Amino acid sequence: MSAFQDFGPLSERRRAERQQKRRKRLMIAGASVSVVLIVAAVGAAAVLYNKPKQDSDSSKPSKSHGGSSSSSASANAKDYHANSAIQALCEATDHQSACESSLKKYIKPNSQPKELFRAAVTAVVDEVDKAFERTDSIKTDDPSVKAAIDDCRELHGYAVDDLNNTLGAINAHNLNQLQKQVHDLKIWLSAVAAYQQTCNDGFPEGELRTKMQTTMDSAKNLTSNALVIVGEVSSLISALNIAGVGAHRGLLEEEGEEPATSSFHEDGIPSWVSEQDRRTLLSRAANGLTPNVTVAKDGSGNFTTISDALKNMPKKYDGRYVIYVKEGTYQEQVLVDKNMINVTMYGDGSRKTIVTGSKNYVDGVKTFQTATFAVVGDGFLAVAMGFQNTAGAAKHQAVALRVSSDRSIFLNCRMEAYQDTLYAHAHRQFYRGCVILGTVDFIFGDAAAVFQNCILTVRRPLDNQQNIVLAQGRAIPYETSGFVVHNCRIVPDADLAPATAAIRSYLGRPWKEFSHTAIIESDIDGFIDPDGYMPWSGDFGLKTLTYTEYGNKGAGAGTSKRVNWPGFKVITKEAAKTYTPADFLQAGEWIPKTNTPVRMGLYG
């Protein structure tokens, strides 16, 4: 298990609100029950839950409401402290009543202090189970609804896994250790929120979808509460300086990567080597890859399809399982399932080794299932491969690549489609040196994803459409999700370039209420509308989204005419640092181990 500092990509406004709430809570706690209550709020004072008996009669029940016996006073004091701990912990949540009732349901008088945090997650487990299981009770002959129910069953399994990860981490660590795990806990809980939302989004618009949203609301609220509560471990331990633990100690040093020179690319390959050869060299040499199996369409490898190579993976394998996919176009729908952990897959170049498909929404396939290539198993690494959905603009939602894999990396890859090209669904994701092409919302989802040194190419949509690069889907403000575009180029495709005056193109729009993006140190071409961003529908999300820009250049980088929404800001250099891989993904613990080139900090 990795140790991460506590970081949540909240806006400055929300940070200030949270800090104010914490200060208020600490002041109230100090005045009412002194430091005992504060310590209870972070689960650091077991005495509140294991208070010794005052005398031999202390276990007897009180005989009257107004009794003054020592046993009654002792019991009341005990109840008061336990309730106060819960109240203090729930005060910062958005759903305080639900928080208090759910914690009280699982907390017992003899519970260990850490039980407060376990209880918050256990409440989510129970409520998520109830919400997803209700989909099984739906009786229907509608193929569209049946497909949505099937997706929900699959997503429920993913949610259970992440909740088990969260509970496992809480069980395995004491409070001081747990504060180093906060980033992991919040990533897993954020993914649970994404799964809930994805389940609901799969149902057709109408009464059934509205009912499903109502069914999911309770689980969503408890997930929101749990995200706040696990975040309180670091902030309150830091405030009290318990055991000398600090909340924001830097666990990683900035990488100190040197800028590229005129003689060499920053990955160390000479600049005179062609771009295609450089990608091939990276795929084979830079990562020191030795394949366990080879896929080749011509029969020269171990398998002729990627799916067969995955199907024949060992059930248990120590280290990385490496699959080399030779040059060729592979027409298949591939799934790297949740049991396929630490898979590395590399090809002969993103325009030579191509996985292609054409499933799409217009033909009756749910967006979630249109993906040509889907990755769920954690630790996935793809190098020098291409992923396509060739359905075309007229077929609307048609995903080339869907990624739910935690700590996944895509290096020198190409994702090509029109609407909804890349579904960055959940967890931590890093894209380096990739080319991503599309039209409407072509990078969407609720992952914590950083795109570094990538080319985001906007294609020509249907004549009645507008282009949007980013449609980030954070539905709860405390999630650690968001899209970061770092040192990238945002350019028009050759087909779009002549029509940029007639077809508007935008950097993003709020798919969900708390949509979160940052575009930093990137080159934005002049075809991007000066507004920068467009609404989703009416004023939905415009007051709650978080859209930031810093240090961009190019004809489309000017911010003087950007939207005047409360959540859009041009941020400072210090604020921009929180969006770099080191802070946003806590990347120092996992990306360098794969030999993937990465800039941990800012370039300038």
Side-chain angles (χ1 to χ4, degrees):
M1 194 68 67
S2 300
F4 289 131
Q5 76 183 71
D6 177 25
F7 172 75
L10 303 175
S11 67
E12 294 177 10
R13 173 174 57 83
R14 288 196 170 276
R15 287 180 184 278
E17 290 173 354
R18 297 271 312 270
Q19 291 170 356
Q20 185 176 10
K21 282 186 176 182
R22 280 197 291 271
R23 286 195 296 268
K24 179 181 178 183
R25 182 171 62 256
L26 293 176
M27 290 173 64
I28 295 173
S32 58
V33 290
S34 188
V35 74
V36 175
L37 173 55
I38 307 174
V39 175
V42 296
V47 66
L48 298 183
Y49 298 92
N50 297 282
K51 192 168 183 176
K53 297 178 181 179
Q54 299 296 317
D55 53 46
S56 60
D57 294 327
S58 61
S59 61
K60 296 179 181 179
S62 171
K63 294 183 179 180
S64 68
H65 293 292
S68 58
S69 67
S70 62
S71 62
S72 176
S74 174
N76 289 339
K78 183 176 182 180
D79 290 342
Y80 173 74
H81 289 307
N83 289 336
S84 296
I86 291 171
Q87 289 169 5
L89 200 58
C90 290
E91 188 177 346
T93 67
D94 291 341
H95 311 282
Q96 187 170 343
S97 177
C99 177
E100 292 181 9
S101 61
S102 63
L103 291 185
K104 288 175 182 178
K105 179 180 178 181
Y106 296 99
I107 292 297
K108 298 178 180 179
N110 61 347
S111 296
Q112 294 297 314
K114 192 170 63 173
E115 290 290 341
L116 284 167
F117 302 99
R118 186 186 291 112
V121 178
T122 302
V124 177
V125 173
D126 287 351
E127 205 62 40
V128 163
D129 282 347
K130 291 177 186 177
F132 278 105
E133 285 171 3
R134 284 171 190 160
T135 63
D136 292 333
S137 65
I138 298 173
K139 306 299 180 183
T140 180
D141 293 325
D142 185 338
S144 180
V145 175
K146 286 183 177 179
I149 293 171
D150 289 341
D151 285 350
C152 286
R153 290 193 183 110
E154 181 179 344
L155 292 159
H156 185 201
Y158 299 162
V160 168
D161 289 343
D162 276 318
L163 289 168
N164 282 337
N165 287 339
T166 307
L167 287 173
I170 292 173
N171 290 337
H173 298 87
N174 62 38
L175 285 170
N176 286 335
Q177 294 169 334
L178 195 60
Q179 80 93 4
K180 297 179 181 179
Q181 300 293 130
V182 167
H183 191 266
D184 279 338
L185 302 180
K186 295 178 83 171
I187 281 289
W188 294 326
L189 289 170
S190 296
V192 172
Y195 302 145
Q196 295 169 33
Q197 191 64 53
T198 305
C199 171
N200 187 70
D201 287 347
F203 287 90
E205 292 283 355
E207 183 181 359
L208 182 56
R209 183 167 178 174
T210 301
K211 287 182 177 178
M212 281 305 305
Q213 183 64 63
T214 302
T215 298
M216 288 288 178
D217 276 347
S218 181
K220 178 181 176 181
N221 293 346
L222 291 183
T223 304
S224 173
N225 288 345
L227 280 161
V228 174
I229 287 170
V230 298
E232 292 296 282
V233 179
S234 289
S235 58
L236 291 180
I237 287 179
S238 176
L240 297 172
N241 199 26
I242 295 176
V245 177
H248 298 289
R249 179 175 59 88
L251 300 179
L252 305 167
E253 296 296 328
E254 189 170 342
E255 184 192 37
E257 179 182 333
E258 294 295 328
T261 68
S262 58
S263 300
F264 293 88
H265 293 287
E266 64 179 296
D267 48 40
I269 295 177
S271 58
W272 50 264
V273 174
S274 70
E275 181 66 12
Q276 185 58 58
D277 288 343
R278 184 171 75 91
R279 290 174 184 270
T280 302
L281 285 170
L282 280 170
S283 71
R284 291 184 175 177
N287 290 277
L289 301 177
T290 301
N292 294 86
V293 295
T294 298
V295 178
K297 285 183 67 65
D298 62 7
S300 61
N302 306 96
F303 303 97
T304 57
T305 69
I306 298 169
S307 296
D308 282 345
L310 289 167
K311 189 186 304 180
N312 286 278
M313 274 184 61
K315 297 299 181 184
K316 294 184 179 180
Y317 187 82
D318 293 330
R320 286 204 156 268
Y321 191 80
V322 181
I323 300 173
Y324 168 40
V325 186
K326 283 188 174 181
E327 179 178 352
T329 299
Y330 297 82
Q331 294 182 325
E332 55 179 310
Q333 190 170 30
V334 178
L335 172 63
V336 182
D337 72 34
K338 66 180 182 179
N339 298 312
M340 299 172 181
I341 306 300
N342 291 331
V343 173
T344 293
M345 195 175 293
Y346 72 97
D348 284 321
S350 65
R351 305 194 79 167
K352 291 184 176 181
T353 298
I354 300 169
V355 191
T356 187
S358 59
K359 289 186 180 294
N360 62 85
Y361 184 80
V362 170
D363 288 347
V365 182
K366 293 294 180 183
T367 303
F368 187 74
Q369 297 295 355
T370 62
T372 300
F373 197 102
V375 187
V376 182
D378 291 344
F380 181 79
L381 169 60
V383 184
M385 292 186 65
F387 308 95
Q388 291 182 347
N389 191 310
T390 59
K395 295 292 186 176
H396 295 282
Q397 296 97 320
V399 177
L401 175 65
R402 167 166 56 86
V403 185
S404 304
S405 168
D406 194 17
R407 298 183 175 187
S408 53
I409 298 172
F410 291 82
L411 173 63
N412 297 335
C413 290
R414 182 181 179 92
M415 301 83 174
E416 187 172 356
Y418 286 85
Q419 183 170 344
D420 291 359
T421 302
L422 172 59
Y423 193 173
H425 185 219
H427 292 122
R428 290 162 283 202
Q429 305 176 15
F430 181 64
Y431 300 81
R432 170 80 178 202
C434 294
V435 178
I436 308 170
L437 302 93
T439 57
V440 181
D441 305 330
F442 70 90
I443 301 175
F444 76 111
D446 194 24
V450 173
F451 303 87
Q452 190 174 83
N453 291 25
C454 294
I455 300 175
L456 311 184
T457 304
V458 184
R459 308 178 81 176
R460 181 164 185 161
L462 299 175
D463 289 341
N464 63 343
Q465 290 181 324
Q466 296 170 316
N467 286 318
I468 305 98
V469 178
L470 306 174
Q472 203 280 331
R474 186 174 63 167
I476 296 173
Y478 310 110
E479 292 180 58
T480 55
S481 60
F483 292 163
V484 178
V485 176
H486 184 205
N487 197 47
C488 293
R489 292 172 57 204
I490 302 175
V491 299
D493 187 55
D495 289 341
L496 176 64
T500 53
I503 298 174
R504 290 189 171 186
S505 297
Y506 298 88
L507 297 171
R509 63 172 176 167
W511 181 33
K512 302 301 177 186
E513 189 175 4
F514 299 95
S515 184
H516 183 205
T517 69
I519 301 175
I520 58 177
E521 297 186 313
S522 293
D523 191 330
I524 305 173
D525 196 278
F527 76 106
I528 292 294
D529 192 274
D531 283 353
Y533 308 87
M534 66 172 289
W536 183 271
S537 178
D539 62 355
F540 173 79
L542 302 189
K543 296 181 180 179
T544 50
L545 59 79
T546 302
Y547 288 169
T548 61
E549 294 184 39
Y550 168 79
N552 297 313
K553 60 183 180 180
T559 57
S560 62
K561 296 182 180 180
R562 287 288 192 257
V563 292
N564 61 355
W565 305 337
F568 171 76
K569 290 183 179 179
V570 178
I571 57 176
T572 65
K573 183 175 183 178
E574 285 303 308
K577 288 179 180 178
T578 65
Y579 288 104
T580 57
D583 280 351
F584 196 72
L585 300 178
Q586 300 294 307
E589 280 291 316
W590 54 284
I591 293 179
K593 293 177 182 178
T594 66
N595 295 319
T596 300
V598 56
R599 179 77 176 194
M600 288 293 181
L602 296 172
Y603 281 86

